[in-house]
């Protein structure tokens, strides 16, 4: 059974810092990996999608990497801003559905 | 990206009543939609996979008679929580893919906060 783990569970950084969020999964047989942002009480906003054949994707200040063989992905956020404060979820595509990690709750202090 | 609209965003109902939540794909056709449940500070747990024109596939432990799913068209899936109890209070989120295949990006609705009193 696929298990997705995100470390750390919570992270607090001062504004302007670069940071890395980690995601690991137990079964490397995935179709893709997707990073999401969730604000309190809201739905999910897709940030980056990495197909299983890809190693990274970039969008603005965000860069996500994927190492399928080791079961790991990282989300790098450059020059963090208070508006980046949210919970970040990673999910792996397995068969026809997705398995989610518990998320990392990020707080960026002004 | 594609847009998935979920309605209502928030609902309060009395114990024993039923609540219907709608999930619509606004600019694409979704042969498959997914319903998730999220408890506070926990991740999303897949409840069921909704297939257009056929019965939903439920995850282990999810009561299909309690959580009725209908996917009558390529743009609409509904989740009905029947005979709601306070323990059904949760955040429900739907998602859809643009194609039926497993490798495409998933888009999520805004979620529905259900409170059963």
């Amino acid at each position: 059974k696929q298990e997705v783990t995100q470390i750390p569970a919570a992270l607090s950084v001062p504004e302007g810092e670069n940071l890395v969020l980690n995601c690991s999964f137990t079964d490397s047989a995935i179709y893709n990996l997707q990073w999401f942002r969730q604000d309190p009480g809201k739905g999910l906003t897709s940030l980056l999608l990495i197909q299983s054949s890809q190693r990274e994707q970039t969008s603005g200040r965000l860069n996500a990497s994927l190492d399928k063989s080791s079961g790991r992905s990282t989300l790098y956020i450059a020059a963090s801003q208070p508006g980046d404060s949210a919970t970040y979820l990673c999910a792996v595509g397995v068969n026809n559905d997705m398995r989610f990690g518990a998320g990392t709750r990020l707080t960026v202090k002004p | 990206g594609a847009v998935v609209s979920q309605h209502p965003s928030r609902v309060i109902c009395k114990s024993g009543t039923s609540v219907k939540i709608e999930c619509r794909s606004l600019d694409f056709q979704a042969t498959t939609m997914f319903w998730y449940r999220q408890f506070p500070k926990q991740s999303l747990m897949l409840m069921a996979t909704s297939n257009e024109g056929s019965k939903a596939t439920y995850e282990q432990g999810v009561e299909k008679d309690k959580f009725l799913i209908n996917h009558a068209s390529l743009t609409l899936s509904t989740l009905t929580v029947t005979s709601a109890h306070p323990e059904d209070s949760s955040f429900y989120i739907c998602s859809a893919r643009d194609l039926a295949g497993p490798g495409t990006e998933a888009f999520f609705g805004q979620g529905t906060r259900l409170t059963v009193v």
Side-chain angles (χ1 to χ4, degrees), chain A residues 39-92:
Chain A
D39 292 290
K42 303 293 184 182
L44 275 65
T45 300
S46 178
L47 298 174
L48 290 165
L49 169 70
I50 310 177
Q51 301 292 353
S52 62
S53 58
Q54 298 174 325
R55 294 194 64 86
E56 68 174 339
Q57 284 287 330
T58 298
S59 176
R61 294 183 293 109
L62 306 179
N63 176 275
S65 69
L66 173 64
D67 185 343
K68 205 171 67 165
S69 61
S70 67
R72 294 180 181 178
S73 175
T74 61
L75 178 66
Y76 174 82
I77 302 178
S80 58
Q81 303 171 358
D84 295 331
S85 298
T87 295
Y88 291 81
L89 297 164
C90 76
V92 295

Side-chain angles (χ1 to χ4, degrees), chain B residues 12-78:
Chain B
I12 300 173
C13 70
K14 293 183 178 180
S15 290
T17 62
S18 295
V19 174
K20 180 184 284 188
I21 303 170
E22 292 187 348
C23 180
R24 294 181 183 272
S25 56
L26 297 186
D27 50 3
F28 66 97
Q29 293 182 330
T31 56
T32 306
M33 292 185 175
F34 305 89
W35 288 96
Y36 295 84
R37 182 173 182 174
Q38 186 179 34
F39 290 104
K41 297 187 178 181
Q42 295 186 25
S43 190
L44 279 70
M45 297 299 295
L46 180 66
M47 297 176 64
T49 301
S50 171
N51 304 299
E52 187 267 337
S54 65
K55 293 183 179 181
T57 304
Y58 289 82
E59 293 298 298
Q60 191 172 7
V62 178
E63 299 176 58
K64 62 180 181 180
D65 294 330
K66 180 168 186 61
F67 298 100
L68 300 179
I69 291 174
N70 183 277
H71 195 156
S73 77
L74 288 171
T75 59
L76 173 65
S77 175
T78 60

Side-chain angles (χ1 to χ4, degrees), chain A residues 15-53:
Chain A
E15 181 178 4
E17 271 202 9
N18 302 325
L19 58 100
V20 175
L21 307 180
N22 298 291
C23 174
S24 62
F25 46 96
T26 55
D27 188 345
S28 62
I30 64 172
Y31 288 103
N32 56 27
L33 185 143
Q34 200 164 348
W35 281 93
F36 297 89
R37 169 186 174 138
Q38 185 177 32
D39 292 290
K42 303 293 184 182
L44 275 65
T45 300
S46 178
L47 298 174
L48 290 165
L49 169 70
I50 310 177
Q51 301 292 353
S52 62
S53 58

